[in-house]
Amino acid sequence: MVEQHQRRIWRWEYCPGAGREEDLLSDVCREVVEKWSESQTVDAKENKEDEIQAIASMMEKQAKIVVKPKEVSQEEKQRKAALLAQYANVTDEEDGEDEQDGSIATAVNIGSEKSLFRNTNVEDVLNARKLERELLRDEFQKKKEQDKLQREKDKLAKQERKEKEKKRTQKGERKR
């Protein structure tokens, strides 16, 4: 910083066209460079103060944002406890079941007195897979039938071409 300050003074002192009034010129140069340096430091301080102010305001905003604890009624607590108990029972029952038909065993066999609702996620997934397999099977059957019809058409077309060729050759032999 000091070297830059001295360089600037030197540039001002030895600029072309300067008169012989070196003392006056050097004083003016020093004064210009000092004022410029002061303005730079003031700007830097103001920037830092602005940054500090911005950070302080953000921290105040964050401090204002407080998550209020949710008030849970006794009924909701009981419902939550029942759900947790139900899922605890479901996992116990799942451990004892084996896979059936190569698919995932369903956990829907919960007694109605234990559960508040029926979990149909597993059933929905299995039904969707079953439906997809049926659609694929139907598409395969349609394609198979179309291929069979196409082969028959090709066979008939080939036979017709042979007959036409045969008739044409017969006509050619008759003309001879």
Side-chain angles (χ1 to χ4, degrees):
M1 180 80 175
V2 174
E3 287 181 26
Q4 288 178 348
H5 184 69
Q6 289 174 352
R7 285 184 194 156
R8 287 188 187 105
I9 292 172
W10 184 81
R11 285 183 193 151
W12 279 96
E13 286 178 349
Y14 298 104
C15 65
R20 295 284 175 192
E21 306 163 347
E22 291 180 7
D23 292 336
L24 180 62
L25 184 60
S26 65
D27 290 341
V28 170
C29 289
R30 279 192 195 97
E31 187 177 339
V32 167
V33 172
E34 286 173 5
K35 294 290 184 183
W36 184 82
S37 298
E38 287 175 9
S39 70
Q40 293 298 317
T41 56
V42 169
D43 288 343
K45 287 180 184 177
E46 287 177 2
N47 287 340
K48 287 182 183 178
E49 289 176 6
D50 290 342
E51 289 175 5
I52 291 171
Q53 186 64 29
I55 292 171
S57 66
M58 286 192 311
M59 290 175 66
E60 287 175 6
K61 288 178 184 176
Q62 287 180 348
K64 288 179 183 177
I65 301 173
V66 177
V67 178
K68 296 178 183 177
K70 184 179 177 183
E71 295 180 16
V72 181
S73 67
Q74 188 65 25
E75 182 181 316
E76 289 175 351
K77 288 180 183 178
Q78 289 174 350
R79 190 176 304 151
K80 184 177 179 181
L83 283 173
L84 290 174
Q86 173 188 343
Y87 284 112
N89 289 337
V90 168
T91 56
D92 291 343
E93 289 176 9
E94 284 178 346
D95 291 340
E97 292 180 359
D98 293 329
E99 288 190 6
Q100 302 167 353
D101 290 339
S103 63
I104 302 171
T106 61
V108 184
N109 299 332
I110 302 170
S112 60
E113 67 276 351
K114 292 181 185 176
S115 65
L116 297 175
F117 65 92
R118 184 173 168 198
N119 186 356
T120 60
N121 292 341
V122 174
E123 282 182 350
D124 291 344
V125 169
L126 292 175
N127 287 337
R129 287 182 184 168
K130 185 177 179 181
L131 182 63
E132 185 178 349
R133 283 193 305 268
E134 289 175 2
L135 289 173
L136 289 173
R137 190 177 306 123
D138 290 344
E139 287 178 17
F140 179 74
Q141 279 298 101
K142 286 180 184 177
K143 185 171 182 351
K144 192 174 177 182
E145 289 173 11
Q146 287 176 351
D147 288 347
K148 187 176 180 181
L149 290 173
Q150 188 64 40
R151 281 193 302 270
E152 288 177 11
K153 285 181 184 177
D154 291 345
K155 190 175 181 181
L156 289 174
K158 187 177 180 181
Q159 224 173 13
E160 287 177 10
R161 274 187 256 122
K162 281 184 181 180
E163 288 176 7
K164 285 182 182 179
E165 182 67 27
K166 191 176 181 181
K167 286 181 183 179
R168 195 171 6 128
T169 56
Q170 285 176 356
K171 279 184 182 180
E173 288 178 7
R174 285 185 204 159
K175 287 181 181 180
R176 289 185 191 175

